[in-house]
Amino acid sequence: MASHHRFDDITVSDLVAQGSMKWTRNPGHLSAFVAEMDFGTAPVITEALHDAIDKAQLGYLPPGVKSDMAEATSDYLSSHYGWAIPAEQIYPTADVLSAFDLVLARFSTPGSAVILPTPAYMPFLTIGPARGHQVIQVPMIAGPSGRAEMDLEAIGRAFEAGAEVFILCNPHNPLGRVYSQEELEALAVVVETHGGLVFSDEIHAPLTLEGHRHIPYASLSEATANHTLTATSASKAFNIPGLKCAQLIASSAAHQESLREVAFMVSHGSATPGVMANTVAYRAGGPWLADVLGYLDTNRTLLGELLATHIPAMGYTPPEGTYIAWIDANGLPDIKGDRSWAQFFADEAQVGLTDGALCGEAGVGHLRLMLATPGHILEKIILAMAEALKAPSA
Ligand SMILES: Cc1ncc(COP(=O)(O)O)c(C=O)c1O
């Protein structure tokens, strides 16, 4: 019998009462569509926030709070990944997406194309075009072991067609891949050959799961340090995206110099409590996160078992990192009519999932499901989906 975990005690009513966007957007639905966890956050973070509020530390970002966060991030990157990056090269910023927006504006030619392996995190398909940059989607391909890999030849061709910025997402949303050193080195050769720039989104790095190792792309070599801007945050792993703080890391002297000129703009959107919370997460959140990672490890296997038992036609490879499951629904009998599978399950099962098509053309027929939820809720979700597939009205 599986052992009991305190996260097992969390109920749907608790989550609805807590009032997150995930659990209040569609009342009555079991929600698994947005990258939030159902486990609250680390008590060390809530304590630090209570303390800051009691002291009314709610003003603009004090320099000491800012440098403390940079130090904490630098220490975390060094102790977890062996990446020695000085604190002066780490900037607080509001979030990873605004960091991406700034990188595009500051370091690429207006109108130049952006390369995006797909399926991809949805906003990467829309932010570039909103700023006048075309997105070249490069579908991931099945590698020799069957897992999804980057199509380096197609990426090279996209650079040749004039693209300047390559979006690396590692660990990958939605595929859950944690790229190996060999894969990252092979990518680096292509980028370097074409004089490209990498925006490396490593927001899910602390969520690297058992059996895999996160390697910061910029830490690979002098070449990758020079052609990369990295963004990360404690926001996914500690479930605090509403606190508005991420880190933008300039690993080249040229980028650092350039960012220094706009440091005010880079950091202005970061919220003082968020900067404090990120500092505490990196310094003292380890035990809570280890517990979460253990739970996610169980859940990624549980989801495979639930699908194999109740909806065997769905394809699923457990993620190597993140708490995102990418599910292939193409093997299901086509009973959804004109709807996407996400719409079908929203209508017929009251289950909220992301339509894979929003992740790019390569995502059509797929679903994105968050597995950072108590096991009994994960089971309810899959059972509701299985029932909907059986229902005569379907
Ligand atoms: C890969 C990835 N990048 C960026 C974000 C958004 O991060 P932020 O809220 O810091 O902009 C998410 C959120 O889920 C994500 O999964």
Side-chain angles (χ1 to χ4, degrees):
M1 207 184 89
S3 61
H4 185 82
H5 190 282
R6 66 200 161 90
F7 294 152
D8 294 336
D9 296 335
I10 299 167
T11 64
V12 169
S13 329
D14 293 337
L15 294 165
V16 172
Q18 194 207 0
S20 64
M21 185 264 260
K22 186 181 183 190
W23 285 97
T24 57
R25 199 177 80 173
N26 299 308
H29 282 222
L30 293 167
S31 285
F33 67 95
V34 65
E36 293 188 342
M37 298 201 285
D38 295 335
F39 310 139
T41 190
V44 283
I45 294 179
T46 49
E47 281 157 24
L49 290 170
H50 278 299
D51 190 44
I53 287 172
D54 288 344
K55 293 181 184 147
Q57 288 178 320
L58 301 170
Y60 290 118
L61 189 58
V65 173
K66 183 174 168 178
S67 58
D68 209 23
M69 189 219 61
E71 293 288 349
T73 308
S74 171
D75 292 346
Y76 186 90
L77 296 172
S78 157
S79 60
H80 285 71
Y81 317 123
W83 187 19
I85 185 97
E88 303 74 62
Q89 292 170 234
I90 301 172
Y91 294 80
T93 189
D95 46 49
V96 167
L97 292 180
S98 60
F100 172 62
D101 200 23
L102 182 124
V103 165
L104 269 190
R106 188 105 187 129
F107 300 109
S108 75
T109 310
S112 60
V114 171
I115 307 171
L116 182 64
T118 52
Y121 173 54
M122 303 78 76
F124 285 132
L125 285 140
T126 54
I127 292 177
R131 300 292 194 202
H133 296 264
Q134 181 211 347
V135 172
I136 302 180
Q137 295 186 34
V138 178
M140 302 276 284
I141 49 176
S145 66
R147 68 186 183 173
E149 294 183 2
M150 287 181 271
D151 184 345
L152 297 179
E153 282 179 21
I155 291 167
R157 286 196 296 277
F159 276 123
E160 276 152 29
E164 293 181 7
V165 174
F166 177 83
I167 303 174
L168 175 66
C169 182
N170 184 35
H172 189 269
N173 173 358
L175 293 176
R177 281 296 327 276
V178 173
Y179 294 115
S180 67
Q181 181 161 345
E182 294 69 34
E183 287 177 285
L184 294 173
E185 280 172 354
L187 172 69
V189 171
V190 177
V191 175
E192 198 56 17
T193 307
H194 295 92
L197 178 75
V198 171
F199 177 77
S200 190
D201 174 348
E202 303 186 13
I203 194 170
H204 289 279
L207 292 162
T208 300
L209 297 170
E210 181 68 29
H212 299 275
R213 183 168 73 96
H214 175 72
I215 302 169
Y217 177 77
S219 74
L220 276 179
S221 65
E222 203 181 326
T224 62
N226 286 335
H227 70 218
T228 306
L229 284 128
T230 304
T232 189
S233 174
S235 63
K236 288 292 123 189
F238 292 90
N239 211 27
I240 49 172
L243 285 171
K244 289 292 154 200
C245 174
Q247 296 82 41
L248 178 59
I249 306 172
S251 43
S252 84
H255 293 151
Q256 201 191 340
E257 178 83 33
S258 173
L259 283 186
R260 220 180 277 128
E261 288 168 21
V262 290
F264 171 75
M265 281 161 61
V266 178
S267 301
H268 189 63
S270 61
T272 300
V275 175
M276 292 170 170
N278 271 248
T279 306
V280 174
Y282 287 138
R283 288 223 172 106
W288 183 85
L289 182 60
D291 200 16
V292 167
L293 292 176
Y295 201 82
L296 294 178
D297 189 24
T298 306
N299 265 16
R300 64 178 167 163
T301 306
L302 174 65
L303 178 59
E305 290 163 2
L306 289 168
L307 288 173
T309 308
H310 301 290
I311 323 181
M314 277 187 162
Y316 162 73
T317 305
E320 301 167 347
T322 81
Y323 49 75
I324 298 167
W326 183 245
I327 294 173
D328 184 354
N330 286 300
L332 294 177
D334 193 5
I335 54 171
K336 61 181 173 39
D338 294 339
R339 295 173 287 184
S340 65
W341 280 113
Q343 193 59 52
F344 171 85
F345 288 116
D347 294 343
E348 311 296 338
Q350 287 73 54
V351 167
L353 303 163
T354 312
D355 175 10
L358 299 175
C359 301
E361 284 149 34
V364 172
H366 291 72
L367 293 159
R368 213 179 63 131
L369 179 154
M370 301 304 143
L371 48 76
T373 197
H376 65 93
I377 297 181
L378 191 58
E379 186 172 2
K380 267 202 193 90
I381 288 172
I382 301 306
L383 289 178
M385 290 166 67
E387 268 316 297
L389 288 167
K390 279 189 223 149
S393 66

